Amino acid sequence: MVLDPLWLLLALPVAFALGWLGSRLEMREWVREQRDAPKAYFKGLNLLLNEQQDKAIDAFIEAVQDDPHSADLHFALGNLFRRRGEFERAVRVHQHLLQRGDLPGAERERAQHALAQDFMKAGLFDRAEEAFRALEGTPFDTEARLALLTLHERSRDWRAAAEVAARLEKSGIGSFATRISHYWCELAQEADARGDADAAEAALQRAREAAPNAPRPWLQEGERQLRAGRTAQALQSWDALRVRHPAVFSLVAPAYAQAASSLGQAAPAREQIQALYDQQPDTDLLGALRRLDDPATAAQRLQAHLRQQPALSVAAQVLELPPAEWAEDIRTRVQASVARAAQPLQRYRCAACGFEARNYFWQCPGCQSWDTYPPRRIEDL
C-alpha cells in the first residue's frame, strides 16, 4: 500500500499540535502542584507560629499529599509530630524518608538524626542508641555522641559514658575531664557495693588521673578508708581535699572531726577547721567544731554563730541549751531566725500553676486562672 504524500503533510501539523497541547497540560499541572504545595506549607507554618498546632498538622499533611517527594515537607511534619509528643507518627514519617531510594545522602543522614531524636524523646533508649551510633562519621557525629553521652548517663552505664566522653574530648569540642572523673567515681562506688575493693581503688585512681584537681576522688577515698577502719589514711585523704578544695571539705568536716578525735588529734583538727570557719562560717564546719569543743565552748560558739547568721538549724540547737546558758540577746536572735525561716511559708500558692505570692489573689498572676488560690497559707496546707 502506497501512502499518499498529502496525508503525511496533514499528519505532521496534527502531531505537532497534539505534542504542544500535551506539554502545555503537563506544564500547567506542574505549575499547579508547585503553587499549591508551597501554599499549604506556608499555611501550616503560619498556623504553627500562631500556636495552632492541630490545624498546622492538617496543613502539613495536605502539603505532603500534594508533593509526596518533598523531603523538607516530611521533615517539617515529623518534627511537628515530635514536638506534640506524637512520637509514633514522627517515627513513621522519618522511617518513610529513610526507605526512599531516591533520597540524597545528606538528607538520609538528616532523616537518621531526626529518627534518633524521635526514639530519644519517646524513651526508647535502646533504639535511640542504635540510631545515634549509625550517625558516626557523618556531619551529625558530634551531636550523636553528645546524645549518646546523655543516654549512658541516664542508664548509669558509666564505663560507656567515660569512653564516649573521652572520644568527644579528643575531637576538640571541649573538656570532659571532670565528667570522666565523676564516671570513674561512680564505678568505684559500684565496685565497693559489690565488695570489690581492688576494682574500686583502680577506678578511683582512674578518676584522679582523668582530673587531678577534681575534689570527689579525694573525698570518696577518705570515706572508703574510714569504712575500712583505716582512720589515719582517711584523714590524709581529707587533708589533701582540705588543701585543694576547702569549700568542698565542709561536706566531710563532721566526720573528719570525729575521726581525728578517735586518734587523739582533736587539737590540730580544731585548728585546721577553725581556720576554714573563720574564712567562711557554715553549719557543717560549726558542727565539726562542736564535736571538738567542750560543752561550755560549744554553747558559746552556737550563740556566736547565731549572731552572725540567723540559721534555723542553729536556732534549734540553741533551744536545746539550758536557758541559764543563754546570753541576753539570744532570745531575740532565735525569734529572728524563726521569723526568717517562716517567711516563705506565709505565702499563698496557686493550685493550678504553683505561683506563690505574699498577697491573696482571686485571679492568679501566673496562669490568669480564677479562684485557684486556696484561702490558706502554705504552712496551713
Side-chain angles (χ1 to χ4, degrees), residues 8-295:
L8 292 174
L9 291 175
L10 292 173
L12 285 175
V14 172
F16 176 78
L18 290 174
W20 179 83
L21 181 61
S23 65
R24 293 291 296 176
L25 291 174
E26 184 178 353
M27 180 62 71
R28 286 184 178 181
E29 181 66 20
W30 181 84
V31 170
R32 187 188 66 80
E33 291 178 356
Q34 294 301 312
R35 182 179 66 249
D36 292 344
K39 181 179 179 182
Y41 175 79
F42 288 119
K43 177 183 177 183
L45 184 60
N46 184 55
L47 290 168
L48 184 61
L49 292 175
N50 290 325
E51 298 184 358
Q52 301 181 46
Q53 295 190 4
D54 292 333
K55 294 182 179 180
I57 286 179
D58 293 337
F60 280 124
I61 291 176
E62 178 185 348
V64 169
Q65 290 172 345
D66 291 337
D67 188 7
H69 298 292
S70 173
D72 286 333
L73 291 177
H74 283 77
F75 281 121
L77 183 60
N79 292 339
L80 188 53
F81 281 144
R82 189 195 311 132
R83 286 181 57 186
R84 283 179 53 85
E86 299 182 50
F87 304 120
E88 185 176 352
R89 300 177 75 181
V91 166
R92 286 204 302 268
V93 170
H94 294 131
Q95 284 180 334
H96 171 71
L97 281 172
L98 286 172
Q99 292 168 0
R100 284 175 47 178
D102 62 337
L103 199 66
E107 295 298 294
R108 186 173 298 279
E109 292 165 355
R110 181 183 172 191
Q112 180 70 30
H113 182 245
L115 181 63
Q117 290 180 305
D118 296 339
F119 289 142
M120 183 82 159
K121 291 291 186 180
L124 303 174
F125 296 146
D126 291 342
R127 300 183 70 179
E129 181 177 352
E130 181 181 355
F132 279 122
R133 289 193 181 281
L135 291 167
E136 293 184 5
T138 71
F140 296 97
D141 184 274
T142 299
E143 295 178 35
R145 291 189 192 280
L146 289 171
L148 283 172
L149 191 63
T150 300
L151 281 172
H152 294 322
E153 288 184 352
R154 287 186 178 184
S155 61
R156 305 186 68 80
D157 188 351
W158 306 117
R159 195 173 297 276
E163 294 174 0
V164 173
R167 296 176 69 177
L168 281 168
E169 186 161 2
K170 288 181 181 179
S171 67
I173 69 169
S175 175
F176 290 81
T178 302
R179 291 176 73 169
I180 294 172
S181 178
H182 279 300
Y183 300 151
W184 285 110
C185 286
E186 293 287 344
L187 287 169
Q189 284 188 335
E190 292 179 355
D192 274 330
R194 63 175 182 266
D196 192 344
D198 293 337
E201 180 57 37
L204 280 180
Q205 181 61 32
R206 294 288 298 271
R208 286 190 288 266
E209 292 172 357
N213 293 323
R216 184 178 177 181
W218 298 101
L219 185 149
Q220 201 164 315
E221 176 62 24
E223 292 175 337
R224 292 188 66 252
Q225 298 289 1
L226 190 64
R227 286 195 301 269
R230 295 186 289 270
T231 308
Q233 290 87 337
L235 290 179
Q236 290 177 359
S237 297
W238 286 338
D239 278 330
L241 174 68
R242 176 178 53 79
V243 173
R244 291 174 170 83
H245 300 279
V248 180
F249 176 79
S250 296
L251 297 174
V252 293
Y256 180 92
Q258 185 172 359
S261 295
S262 67
L263 294 178
Q265 300 178 14
R270 184 187 298 105
E271 182 179 350
Q272 299 292 349
I273 298 174
Q274 183 68 55
L276 294 179
Y277 181 84
D278 291 340
Q279 295 176 6
Q280 185 64 50
D282 65 42
T283 54
D284 287 323
L285 294 176
L286 176 66
L289 288 171
R290 287 191 64 201
R291 293 174 182 268
L292 302 171
D293 288 335
D294 58 78

Side-chain angles (χ1 to χ4, degrees), residues 304-350:
H305 185 94
L306 193 60
R307 293 187 183 96
Q308 295 180 3
Q309 298 181 4
L312 184 62
S313 60
V314 177
Q317 296 177 56
V318 169
L319 289 174
E320 297 175 358
L321 300 175
E325 298 182 11
W326 287 17
E328 294 182 359
D329 62 331
I330 288 302
R331 180 183 180 85
T332 304
R333 301 289 182 178
V334 170
Q335 290 175 338
S337 300
V338 174
R340 179 188 179 191
Q343 284 180 358
L345 301 177
Q346 293 294 319
R347 299 173 179 267
Y348 297 96
R349 179 186 295 153
C350 175

